Amino acid sequence: VSTASSSKRMEDVRIKFEFCGERRILMFGRPVQFEEVQQKVKTFFGQQLDLHYMNNELSIPLRNQDDLDKAIDLLDRSSNMKSIKIMLLTQEQSNAS
Amino acid sequence: MLLLVLNNLCSMESEGIVIRIKTPVGDMDSSVDSPSHLNFSDLLAAIKDVMPEATVTAFEYEDEVGDRITVRSDEELKAMLSYYCNTVMEQRINGLLPEPLQIFPRAGKTPG
C-alpha cells in the first residue's frame, strides 16, 4: 500500500465534467453525495443532466450513490488518476447512445 | 497586481504565486501574494488590464493530463488553485523551480 493512495483518501474529490466540448473541474468534500453532485451539475450547467463515468474508452452511467462510490473507489486505488471524469449528457443524448 | 496575505490553501507555501496570462500578443505575469483570497472577478479584471480590447468572461488552464479546463466561477477557480498548489509542491519536492500558473483567456469577439 503506497502512502500516496492513503493520503488521497483524505483529499477532496476532484470531478472533471465534460459537456458540449467544454471541461470544468469542481471539488467535492468527502463523503461525496450523489444528490450533491447532481445538484451542482444543475447549478453550473443550468439543467438536469445524466452523468456518465468515463474511464479510457469505457463509459458507465452513474445512476445512484453506489455507482458514484465505486467511481471514487477506483480513483482512490489508482496511483496516477487525479480526478473522476464525468461526461454530461442530456436525456435525449443518453437515450440515443 | 493583487496584494494580499496567504493562508491555508497553499499550506506549504509562504510566498504567493505567479499567474501567467497567455494572450495572442504575448505573456503577462501577475503575482498573487495570497492565492486563497483571489477571486474570479479579480482575475478577470487583471485579464482585462492585459487585454482591454477583448471581452473575456472565462479562461482556461491545463490540468495534469493536458486537458484544457474552463473556469467560470469562484468555485472552479478554487479547484484550479488547489491543483496548482499540489503541482508546485511536487515540483519543490523534486527540486524543480515552480512554473507559473498559465491561464488562457477565452476572448470573445473584439468589438470594432
Side-chain angles (χ1 to χ4, degrees), chain A residues 58-72:
Chain A
L58 203 71
S59 153
I60 304 157
L62 288 186
R63 292 202 178 87
N64 51 43
Q65 187 67 47
D66 198 39
D67 291 348
L68 179 65
D69 289 345
K70 280 178 189 148
I72 293 172

Side-chain angles (χ1 to χ4, degrees), chain B residues 6-70:
Chain B
L6 186 110
N7 72 16
N8 58 4
L9 188 70
C10 278
S11 48
M12 276 184 74
E13 287 195 86
S14 52
E15 69 263 36
I17 61 168
V18 174
I19 295 183
R20 178 165 294 168
I21 303 167
K22 310 282 278 185
T23 80
V25 290
D27 300 350
M28 164 74 194
D29 284 356
S30 177
S31 43
V32 179
D33 285 354
S34 171
S36 57
H37 289 149
L38 182 68
N39 64 43
F40 182 66
S41 53
D42 289 343
L43 201 45
L44 271 195
I47 293 171
K48 213 170 169 51
D49 284 346
V50 184
M51 309 170 69
E53 70 293 340
T55 318
V56 177
T57 54
F59 58 85
E60 295 176 335
Y61 66 100
E62 278 177 1
D63 74 354
E64 68 281 350
V65 292
D67 282 345
R68 286 282 182 107
I69 311 300
T70 306

Side-chain angles (χ1 to χ4, degrees), chain A residues 24-77:
Chain A
R24 300 168 76 178
I25 291 178
L26 290 171
M27 291 195 300
F28 292 84
R30 287 172 191 262
V32 187
Q33 301 294 323
F34 183 71
E35 282 78 19
E36 192 194 339
V37 176
Q38 273 189 320
Q39 193 51 50
K40 275 273 171 66
V41 164
K42 205 174 171 184
T43 311
F44 274 78
F45 297 89
Q47 57 184 307
Q48 193 68 64
L49 294 160
D50 287 347
L51 315 176
H52 291 257
Y53 173 77
M54 305 291 292
N55 195 347
N56 299 324
E57 298 303 301
L58 203 71
S59 153
I60 304 157
L62 288 186
R63 292 202 178 87
N64 51 43
Q65 187 67 47
D66 198 39
D67 291 348
L68 179 65
D69 289 345
K70 280 178 189 148
I72 293 172
D73 192 46
L74 280 175
L75 173 74
D76 290 340
R77 285 161 189 271

